[in-house]
Amino acid sequence: MADGRLQAPRGTFDVLPDEGGRRLRLAHLAEELLHGAGYGYFESPVIEDTELFARGVGEATDIVQKEMFTFEDKAGRSLTLRPENTAGVCRAYVEHGMHKQAQPVKLWYWGPFFRHEAPQAGRYRQFTQLGAEALGSDDPSLDAEVILLLDEFLARAGVREVRLRLSSLGTRDTRRAYLDELRAHLRSREHELSEEVRGRIEANPLRAFDSDHAGTQAVMTDAPRLLDKLEKDDAEHFAAVRALLDDAGLEYEVDTTLVRGLDYYTRTVFEFESDRLGAQRGVGGGGRYDGLVEELGGPPTPAIGWAAGVERILLAADAPEEPEDGAVFVAVAKPESGREAFRLVRELRRQGVRAELEQAGRSVKGQFKHADRIGARAVVIVGDGLEVKDMRSGEQRPAADAAEVVRLVGA
Ligand code: AMP
């Protein structure tokens, strides 16, 4: 900036303490929910070999073609700031021989991810994802389990107006054959389509399903649907997943046009959206990636998982209703009391009382003003003796020692 002050880079942001508290509570909620379902916490590096994403996410995807922060290290190796985590999870699964452990291996993670996208509300260049992955089984109950866990997480996080879209992509071969068939259908009636859809027949024929152009809509009413093209066992798998979700009472919309932006998905795919958000309404999604571990040099390993955006969850969630209880403020009535006050604040903290100390040389009057400002629930005045003032009732009482202070303020 012209005045010499620096700002965080475009598309990134600082997390200030109010927001920081909400984020940490969300992380605790994730730990509680996912640990409770047998998922172990996992971390991998923020940088990976670029080749991992080229192979794992797919050369042709937007992410790999346009959105990666890629650089060379001093030895000339190409490294990339991770744009997503499924490829990294599979790399780690193979690298650490996790296929030899009891299957399925269940992992969850939380951390920063990087995509060079045009920043807007809910879309950043550094963002935080939380995710869960289950590797080593194609049991439909895993598909249902991960979907229900994400639903439960969003509900507990206070995310409102949530909708779930669900589909199955079958195998890669099914999908490839289907897309060819869809392109042929669009080409056979090209003159009826909007110009935009016509221009994307090769690159993204599925886009035609989202068009609000009347001519295009007419063409799409009798377009082939991927779900009708599934192989028998893929169709049975999808039916089994749906039956479990129905049993659980989860509402969803089967959306045959749902295709996620990553190449590796097979069978089940899903996306949670919130109408509370604007254009960037996806809060989290995922699916099966039964071929990815093998693609990265491991044994054939079916797997499923999801990732959810922490910033979008917080945007779509109700703010917590009850503000946190204030701290106890330890005031210093005269300079000679400083050491005693320091000892007292440490003792209070040891006893589990959230406590703060006067540390800016204010007058006693100034200290009370400060205590008010930080929302302290009580002030302990350390002077010739100890006095405890309850900031809500205004009542002030003497205390003989630290133990009595703790009793008076309540741990
Ligand atoms: P994806 O890996 O693209 O399926 O993304 C999973 C979730 O991560 C999305 O539903 C969003 O909530 C979040 N997400 C993806 N990209 C961004 C971004 N650029 N900024 C913020 N959140 C994002």
Side-chain angles (χ1 to χ4, degrees), residues 63 83-84 115 117 122-129 260-262 264-265 271-272 280-286 307-313:
I63 289 184
E84 60 95 62
R115 292 183 196 172
E117 298 191 88
R123 191 160 80 191
Y124 314 101
R125 290 182 174 171
Q126 176 177 340
F127 55 99
T128 313
Q129 277 188 348
R260 297 176 44 77
L262 307 157
Y264 50 62
Y265 286 114
E271 199 148 275
F272 285 86
Q280 304 301 318
R281 54 177 10 106
V283 282
V310 169
E311 290 78 22
R312 290 206 197 151
I313 288 174

mmCIF file of all heavy atoms in Angstrom, residues 63 83-84 115 117 122-129 260-262 264-265 271-272 280-286 307-313, ligand 1:
data_model
loop_
_atom_site.group_PDB
_atom_site.id
_atom_site.type_symbol
_atom_site.label_atom_id
_atom_site.label_comp_id
_atom_site.label_asym_id
_atom_site.label_seq_id
_atom_site.Cartn_x
_atom_site.Cartn_y
_atom_site.Cartn_z
ATOM 1 N N ILE A 63 -9.157 -27.702 -11.308
ATOM 2 C CA ILE A 63 -8.208 -27.553 -10.198
ATOM 3 C C ILE A 63 -6.783 -27.678 -10.711
ATOM 4 O O ILE A 63 -5.938 -26.819 -10.456
ATOM 5 C CB ILE A 63 -8.491 -28.601 -9.088
ATOM 6 C CG1 ILE A 63 -9.794 -28.259 -8.364
ATOM 7 C CG2 ILE A 63 -7.328 -28.687 -8.104
ATOM 8 C CD1 ILE A 63 -10.122 -29.156 -7.198
ATOM 9 N N PRO A 83 -4.520 -28.537 -2.987
ATOM 10 C CA PRO A 83 -5.831 -27.935 -3.264
ATOM 11 C C PRO A 83 -6.977 -28.750 -2.664
ATOM 12 O O PRO A 83 -8.109 -28.267 -2.603
ATOM 13 C CB PRO A 83 -5.921 -27.974 -4.790
ATOM 14 C CG PRO A 83 -5.084 -29.147 -5.184
ATOM 15 C CD PRO A 83 -4.011 -29.302 -4.140
ATOM 16 N N GLU A 84 -6.677 -29.976 -2.232
ATOM 17 C CA GLU A 84 -7.690 -30.853 -1.645
ATOM 18 C C GLU A 84 -6.937 -31.984 -0.962
ATOM 19 O O GLU A 84 -5.708 -32.062 -1.070
ATOM 20 C CB GLU A 84 -8.660 -31.373 -2.711
ATOM 21 C CG GLU A 84 -8.016 -32.183 -3.831
ATOM 22 C CD GLU A 84 -8.070 -33.670 -3.571
ATOM 23 O OE1 GLU A 84 -9.177 -34.206 -3.484
ATOM 24 O OE2 GLU A 84 -6.987 -34.294 -3.469
ATOM 25 N N ARG A 115 -6.455 -22.770 -3.445
ATOM 26 C CA ARG A 115 -6.841 -22.811 -4.854
ATOM 27 C C ARG A 115 -6.797 -21.393 -5.400
ATOM 28 O O ARG A 115 -7.328 -20.472 -4.767
ATOM 29 C CB ARG A 115 -8.269 -23.372 -5.027
ATOM 30 C CG ARG A 115 -8.357 -24.838 -4.661
ATOM 31 C CD ARG A 115 -9.741 -25.404 -4.910
ATOM 32 N NE ARG A 115 -9.872 -26.671 -4.197
ATOM 33 C CZ ARG A 115 -10.999 -27.358 -4.080
ATOM 34 N NH1 ARG A 115 -12.108 -26.904 -4.633
ATOM 35 N NH2 ARG A 115 -11.020 -28.495 -3.422
ATOM 36 N N GLU A 117 -8.425 -19.222 -7.160
ATOM 37 C CA GLU A 117 -9.728 -18.915 -7.748
ATOM 38 C C GLU A 117 -9.962 -17.411 -7.616
ATOM 39 O O GLU A 117 -9.289 -16.733 -6.847
ATOM 40 C CB GLU A 117 -10.828 -19.651 -6.992
ATOM 41 C CG GLU A 117 -10.675 -21.156 -7.056
ATOM 42 C CD GLU A 117 -11.909 -21.873 -6.530
ATOM 43 O OE1 GLU A 117 -12.821 -22.109 -7.341
ATOM 44 O OE2 GLU A 117 -11.963 -22.180 -5.342
ATOM 45 N N GLY A 122 -17.372 -16.306 0.347
ATOM 46 C CA GLY A 122 -17.394 -17.762 0.457
ATOM 47 C C GLY A 122 -16.400 -18.470 -0.448
ATOM 48 O O GLY A 122 -16.359 -19.689 -0.477
ATOM 49 N N ARG A 123 -15.605 -17.706 -1.200
ATOM 50 C CA ARG A 123 -14.582 -18.349 -2.032
ATOM 51 C C ARG A 123 -13.246 -17.637 -1.837
ATOM 52 O O ARG A 123 -13.135 -16.448 -2.104
ATOM 53 C CB ARG A 123 -14.981 -18.339 -3.493
ATOM 54 C CG ARG A 123 -14.060 -19.227 -4.321
ATOM 55 C CD ARG A 123 -14.679 -19.631 -5.616
ATOM 56 N NE ARG A 123 -14.556 -18.558 -6.568
ATOM 57 C CZ ARG A 123 -15.183 -18.533 -7.742
ATOM 58 N NH1 ARG A 123 -16.001 -19.516 -8.077
ATOM 59 N NH2 ARG A 123 -15.013 -17.544 -8.557
ATOM 60 N N TYR A 124 -12.281 -18.388 -1.346
ATOM 61 C CA TYR A 124 -10.989 -17.806 -0.977
ATOM 62 C C TYR A 124 -9.868 -18.581 -1.645
ATOM 63 O O TYR A 124 -10.077 -19.651 -2.188
ATOM 64 C CB TYR A 124 -10.822 -17.855 0.557
ATOM 65 C CG TYR A 124 -12.059 -17.393 1.277
ATOM 66 C CD1 TYR A 124 -12.947 -18.302 1.830
ATOM 67 C CD2 TYR A 124 -12.365 -16.033 1.343
ATOM 68 C CE1 TYR A 124 -14.112 -17.879 2.444
ATOM 69 C CE2 TYR A 124 -13.524 -15.602 1.972
ATOM 70 C CZ TYR A 124 -14.395 -16.525 2.517
ATOM 71 O OH TYR A 124 -15.549 -16.103 3.118
ATOM 72 N N ARG A 125 -8.671 -18.017 -1.571
ATOM 73 C CA ARG A 125 -7.512 -18.729 -2.125
ATOM 74 C C ARG A 125 -6.849 -19.607 -1.076
ATOM 75 O O ARG A 125 -6.209 -20.591 -1.416
ATOM 76 C CB ARG A 125 -6.528 -17.723 -2.721
ATOM 77 C CG ARG A 125 -7.122 -17.116 -3.964
ATOM 78 C CD ARG A 125 -6.209 -16.150 -4.656
ATOM 79 N NE ARG A 125 -6.814 -15.733 -5.905
ATOM 80 C CZ ARG A 125 -6.357 -14.763 -6.679
ATOM 81 N NH1 ARG A 125 -5.257 -14.118 -6.323
ATOM 82 N NH2 ARG A 125 -6.970 -14.458 -7.792
ATOM 83 N N GLN A 126 -6.980 -19.227 0.176
ATOM 84 C CA GLN A 126 -6.653 -20.155 1.259
ATOM 85 C C GLN A 126 -7.925 -20.337 2.065
ATOM 86 O O GLN A 126 -8.519 -19.354 2.520
ATOM 87 C CB GLN A 126 -5.539 -19.638 2.169
ATOM 88 C CG GLN A 126 -5.308 -20.589 3.337
ATOM 89 C CD GLN A 126 -4.170 -20.212 4.264
ATOM 90 O OE1 GLN A 126 -3.273 -19.444 3.906
ATOM 91 N NE2 GLN A 126 -4.204 -20.765 5.467
ATOM 92 N N PHE A 127 -8.366 -21.573 2.214
ATOM 93 C CA PHE A 127 -9.575 -21.847 2.979
ATOM 94 C C PHE A 127 -9.326 -23.087 3.822
ATOM 95 O O PHE A 127 -8.277 -23.723 3.702
ATOM 96 C CB PHE A 127 -10.774 -22.022 2.040
ATOM 97 C CG PHE A 127 -10.563 -23.069 0.984
ATOM 98 C CD1 PHE A 127 -11.085 -24.352 1.139
ATOM 99 C CD2 PHE A 127 -9.837 -22.786 -0.163
ATOM 100 C CE1 PHE A 127 -10.881 -25.323 0.167
ATOM 101 C CE2 PHE A 127 -9.623 -23.752 -1.138
ATOM 102 C CZ PHE A 127 -10.143 -25.027 -0.973
ATOM 103 N N THR A 128 -10.279 -23.398 4.678
ATOM 104 C CA THR A 128 -10.090 -24.509 5.605
ATOM 105 C C THR A 128 -11.095 -25.604 5.308
ATOM 106 O O THR A 128 -12.292 -25.315 5.171
ATOM 107 C CB THR A 128 -10.297 -24.013 7.051
ATOM 108 O OG1 THR A 128 -9.566 -22.813 7.222
ATOM 109 C CG2 THR A 128 -9.830 -25.056 8.058
ATOM 110 N N GLN A 129 -10.599 -26.803 5.163
ATOM 111 C CA GLN A 129 -11.529 -27.921 4.983
ATOM 112 C C GLN A 129 -11.407 -28.870 6.157
ATOM 113 O O GLN A 129 -10.333 -29.085 6.699
ATOM 114 C CB GLN A 129 -11.205 -28.702 3.707
ATOM 115 C CG GLN A 129 -11.800 -28.095 2.452
ATOM 116 C CD GLN A 129 -11.613 -28.994 1.239
ATOM 117 O OE1 GLN A 129 -10.860 -29.952 1.266
ATOM 118 N NE2 GLN A 129 -12.305 -28.663 0.169
ATOM 119 N N ARG A 260 -19.263 -34.041 -9.699
ATOM 120 C CA ARG A 260 -18.376 -33.143 -8.972
ATOM 121 C C ARG A 260 -17.145 -32.815 -9.800
ATOM 122 O O ARG A 260 -16.850 -33.470 -10.786
ATOM 123 C CB ARG A 260 -18.059 -33.755 -7.625
ATOM 124 C CG ARG A 260 -19.364 -33.885 -6.800
ATOM 125 C CD ARG A 260 -19.152 -34.565 -5.497
ATOM 126 N NE ARG A 260 -17.969 -34.064 -4.853
ATOM 127 C CZ ARG A 260 -17.877 -32.902 -4.209
ATOM 128 N NH1 ARG A 260 -18.934 -32.153 -4.077
ATOM 129 N NH2 ARG A 260 -16.758 -32.520 -3.673
ATOM 130 N N GLY A 261 -16.439 -31.761 -9.410
ATOM 131 C CA GLY A 261 -15.354 -31.230 -10.238
ATOM 132 C C GLY A 261 -14.076 -32.049 -10.255
ATOM 133 O O GLY A 261 -13.065 -31.597 -10.745
ATOM 134 N N LEU A 262 -14.124 -33.235 -9.695
ATOM 135 C CA LEU A 262 -12.905 -34.029 -9.608
ATOM 136 C C LEU A 262 -13.108 -35.320 -10.397
ATOM 137 O O LEU A 262 -14.198 -35.873 -10.426
ATOM 138 C CB LEU A 262 -12.599 -34.333 -8.139
ATOM 139 C CG LEU A 262 -12.571 -33.080 -7.258
ATOM 140 C CD1 LEU A 262 -12.817 -33.396 -5.806
ATOM 141 C CD2 LEU A 262 -11.235 -32.372 -7.401
ATOM 142 N N TYR A 264 -11.898 -38.357 -9.944
ATOM 143 C CA TYR A 264 -11.735 -39.685 -9.378
ATOM 144 C C TYR A 264 -13.002 -40.351 -8.866
ATOM 145 O O TYR A 264 -12.976 -41.486 -8.432
ATOM 146 C CB TYR A 264 -10.657 -39.682 -8.287
ATOM 147 C CG TYR A 264 -10.768 -38.601 -7.218
ATOM 148 C CD1 TYR A 264 -11.855 -38.512 -6.370
ATOM 149 C CD2 TYR A 264 -9.723 -37.686 -7.047
ATOM 150 C CE1 TYR A 264 -11.916 -37.552 -5.376
ATOM 151 C CE2 TYR A 264 -9.775 -36.719 -6.053
ATOM 152 C CZ TYR A 264 -10.874 -36.653 -5.228
ATOM 153 O OH TYR A 264 -10.921 -35.698 -4.246
ATOM 154 N N TYR A 265 -14.127 -39.659 -8.894
ATOM 155 C CA TYR A 265 -15.304 -40.233 -8.269
ATOM 156 C C TYR A 265 -15.916 -41.393 -9.052
ATOM 157 O O TYR A 265 -15.915 -41.418 -10.284
ATOM 158 C CB TYR A 265 -16.370 -39.167 -8.027
ATOM 159 C CG TYR A 265 -16.003 -38.265 -6.867
ATOM 160 C CD1 TYR A 265 -15.717 -36.927 -7.056
ATOM 161 C CD2 TYR A 265 -15.902 -38.785 -5.580
ATOM 162 C CE1 TYR A 265 -15.351 -36.111 -6.003
ATOM 163 C CE2 TYR A 265 -15.544 -37.979 -4.516
ATOM 164 C CZ TYR A 265 -15.269 -36.652 -4.731
ATOM 165 O OH TYR A 265 -14.902 -35.855 -3.681
ATOM 166 N N GLU A 271 -23.654 -33.861 -2.361
ATOM 167 C CA GLU A 271 -23.271 -32.483 -2.064
ATOM 168 C C GLU A 271 -24.325 -31.859 -1.152
ATOM 169 O O GLU A 271 -25.518 -31.958 -1.432
ATOM 170 C CB GLU A 271 -23.173 -31.703 -3.366
ATOM 171 C CG GLU A 271 -22.368 -30.457 -3.234
ATOM 172 C CD GLU A 271 -21.627 -30.131 -4.527
ATOM 173 O OE1 GLU A 271 -20.527 -30.658 -4.732
ATOM 174 O OE2 GLU A 271 -22.192 -29.380 -5.334
ATOM 175 N N PHE A 272 -23.872 -31.251 -0.078
ATOM 176 C CA PHE A 272 -24.761 -30.499 0.806
ATOM 177 C C PHE A 272 -24.663 -29.026 0.435
ATOM 178 O O PHE A 272 -23.554 -28.492 0.306
ATOM 179 C CB PHE A 272 -24.342 -30.659 2.268
ATOM 180 C CG PHE A 272 -24.699 -31.996 2.862
ATOM 181 C CD1 PHE A 272 -23.848 -33.082 2.715
ATOM 182 C CD2 PHE A 272 -25.879 -32.173 3.568
ATOM 183 C CE1 PHE A 272 -24.167 -34.324 3.265
ATOM 184 C CE2 PHE A 272 -26.207 -33.405 4.131
ATOM 185 C CZ PHE A 272 -25.348 -34.484 3.973
ATOM 186 N N GLN A 280 -21.900 -19.225 -3.917
ATOM 187 C CA GLN A 280 -21.059 -20.345 -3.464
ATOM 188 C C GLN A 280 -21.822 -21.098 -2.389
ATOM 189 O O GLN A 280 -21.559 -20.952 -1.211
ATOM 190 C CB GLN A 280 -19.724 -19.812 -2.928
ATOM 191 C CG GLN A 280 -18.969 -18.956 -3.914
ATOM 192 C CD GLN A 280 -18.651 -19.712 -5.186
ATOM 193 O OE1 GLN A 280 -18.270 -20.875 -5.140
ATOM 194 N NE2 GLN A 280 -18.846 -19.080 -6.326
ATOM 195 N N ARG A 281 -22.821 -21.921 -2.792
ATOM 196 C CA ARG A 281 -23.725 -22.494 -1.805
ATOM 197 C C ARG A 281 -23.300 -23.874 -1.308
ATOM 198 O O ARG A 281 -23.898 -24.416 -0.388
ATOM 199 C CB ARG A 281 -25.145 -22.534 -2.350
ATOM 200 C CG ARG A 281 -25.254 -23.246 -3.675
ATOM 201 C CD ARG A 281 -26.686 -23.340 -4.187
ATOM 202 N NE ARG A 281 -27.624 -22.545 -3.429
ATOM 203 C CZ ARG A 281 -28.171 -21.408 -3.818
ATOM 204 N NH1 ARG A 281 -27.870 -20.947 -4.991
ATOM 205 N NH2 ARG A 281 -29.021 -20.773 -3.079
ATOM 206 N N GLY A 282 -22.277 -24.473 -1.902
ATOM 207 C CA GLY A 282 -21.842 -25.807 -1.467
ATOM 208 C C GLY A 282 -21.136 -25.726 -0.125
ATOM 209 O O GLY A 282 -20.146 -25.021 0.002
ATOM 210 N N VAL A 283 -21.664 -26.423 0.894
ATOM 211 C CA VAL A 283 -20.962 -26.423 2.177
ATOM 212 C C VAL A 283 -20.056 -27.637 2.308
ATOM 213 O O VAL A 283 -19.054 -27.594 3.015
ATOM 214 C CB VAL A 283 -21.903 -26.355 3.412
ATOM 215 C CG1 VAL A 283 -22.398 -24.947 3.623
ATOM 216 C CG2 VAL A 283 -23.048 -27.313 3.321
ATOM 217 N N GLY A 284 -20.404 -28.712 1.632
ATOM 218 C CA GLY A 284 -19.542 -29.883 1.723
ATOM 219 C C GLY A 284 -20.043 -30.976 0.815
ATOM 220 O O GLY A 284 -21.230 -31.016 0.487
ATOM 221 N N GLY A 285 -19.142 -31.825 0.397
ATOM 222 C CA GLY A 285 -19.575 -32.904 -0.477
ATOM 223 C C GLY A 285 -18.468 -33.912 -0.668
ATOM 224 O O GLY A 285 -17.341 -33.721 -0.205
ATOM 225 N N GLY A 286 -18.813 -34.985 -1.346
ATOM 226 C CA GLY A 286 -17.805 -36.014 -1.571
ATOM 227 C C GLY A 286 -18.378 -37.172 -2.347
ATOM 228 O O GLY A 286 -19.383 -37.028 -3.055
ATOM 229 N N ALA A 307 -15.419 -33.672 2.042
ATOM 230 C CA ALA A 307 -14.746 -32.498 2.587
ATOM 231 C C ALA A 307 -15.785 -31.398 2.719
ATOM 232 O O ALA A 307 -16.675 -31.274 1.879
ATOM 233 C CB ALA A 307 -13.628 -32.055 1.664
ATOM 234 N N ALA A 308 -15.669 -30.618 3.780
ATOM 235 C CA ALA A 308 -16.600 -29.501 3.978
ATOM 236 C C ALA A 308 -15.800 -28.245 4.256
ATOM 237 O O ALA A 308 -14.710 -28.295 4.838
ATOM 238 C CB ALA A 308 -17.544 -29.810 5.132
ATOM 239 N N GLY A 309 -16.322 -27.110 3.814
ATOM 240 C CA GLY A 309 -15.614 -25.845 3.960
ATOM 241 C C GLY A 309 -15.962 -25.165 5.282
ATOM 242 O O GLY A 309 -17.118 -24.815 5.530
ATOM 243 N N VAL A 310 -14.956 -24.982 6.127
ATOM 244 C CA VAL A 310 -15.181 -24.413 7.460
ATOM 245 C C VAL A 310 -15.717 -22.976 7.365
ATOM 246 O O VAL A 310 -16.647 -22.597 8.075
ATOM 247 C CB VAL A 310 -13.867 -24.463 8.277
ATOM 248 C CG1 VAL A 310 -13.971 -23.642 9.558
ATOM 249 C CG2 VAL A 310 -13.510 -25.911 8.584
ATOM 250 N N GLU A 311 -15.154 -22.176 6.459
ATOM 251 C CA GLU A 311 -15.610 -20.779 6.358
ATOM 252 C C GLU A 311 -17.069 -20.729 5.909
ATOM 253 O O GLU A 311 -17.863 -19.935 6.418
ATOM 254 C CB GLU A 311 -14.731 -19.980 5.393
ATOM 255 C CG GLU A 311 -13.324 -19.717 5.920
ATOM 256 C CD GLU A 311 -12.398 -20.922 5.814
ATOM 257 O OE1 GLU A 311 -12.688 -21.817 4.977
ATOM 258 O OE2 GLU A 311 -11.392 -20.994 6.542
ATOM 259 N N ARG A 312 -17.430 -21.597 4.959
ATOM 260 C CA ARG A 312 -18.828 -21.587 4.492
ATOM 261 C C ARG A 312 -19.773 -22.096 5.577
ATOM 262 O O ARG A 312 -20.895 -21.619 5.703
ATOM 263 C CB ARG A 312 -18.961 -22.449 3.242
ATOM 264 C CG ARG A 312 -18.267 -21.776 2.083
ATOM 265 C CD ARG A 312 -18.832 -22.186 0.770
ATOM 266 N NE ARG A 312 -17.870 -21.833 -0.260
ATOM 267 C CZ ARG A 312 -17.713 -22.464 -1.398
ATOM 268 N NH1 ARG A 312 -18.498 -23.503 -1.683
ATOM 269 N NH2 ARG A 312 -16.823 -22.082 -2.273
ATOM 270 N N ILE A 313 -19.325 -23.065 6.357
ATOM 271 C CA ILE A 313 -20.160 -23.557 7.462
ATOM 272 C C ILE A 313 -20.450 -22.406 8.426
ATOM 273 O O ILE A 313 -21.587 -22.191 8.836
ATOM 274 C CB ILE A 313 -19.454 -24.726 8.197
ATOM 275 C CG1 ILE A 313 -19.478 -25.966 7.308
ATOM 276 C CG2 ILE A 313 -20.116 -25.006 9.548
ATOM 277 C CD1 ILE A 313 -18.682 -27.132 7.862
HETATM 278 P P1 AMP B 1 -14.465 -29.618 -3.091
HETATM 279 O O1 AMP B 1 -13.149 -30.200 -2.655
HETATM 280 O O2 AMP B 1 -14.340 -28.703 -4.260
HETATM 281 O O3 AMP B 1 -15.554 -30.624 -3.211
HETATM 282 O O4 AMP B 1 -14.901 -28.652 -1.917
HETATM 283 C C1 AMP B 1 -15.455 -29.112 -0.717
HETATM 284 C C2 AMP B 1 -15.932 -27.938 0.087
HETATM 285 O O5 AMP B 1 -14.836 -27.073 0.375
HETATM 286 C C3 AMP B 1 -16.921 -27.043 -0.659
HETATM 287 O O6 AMP B 1 -18.227 -27.532 -0.468
HETATM 288 C C4 AMP B 1 -16.720 -25.724 0.028
HETATM 289 O O7 AMP B 1 -17.452 -25.661 1.229
HETATM 290 C C5 AMP B 1 -15.253 -25.725 0.361
HETATM 291 N N1 AMP B 1 -14.476 -24.972 -0.643
HETATM 292 C C6 AMP B 1 -13.996 -25.395 -1.831
HETATM 293 N N2 AMP B 1 -13.316 -24.435 -2.464
HETATM 294 C C7 AMP B 1 -13.356 -23.343 -1.667
HETATM 295 C C8 AMP B 1 -12.830 -22.002 -1.745
HETATM 296 N N3 AMP B 1 -12.110 -21.603 -2.788
HETATM 297 N N4 AMP B 1 -13.096 -21.165 -0.722
HETATM 298 C C9 AMP B 1 -13.807 -21.551 0.353
HETATM 299 N N5 AMP B 1 -14.315 -22.792 0.485
HETATM 300 C C10 AMP B 1 -14.099 -23.683 -0.498
#
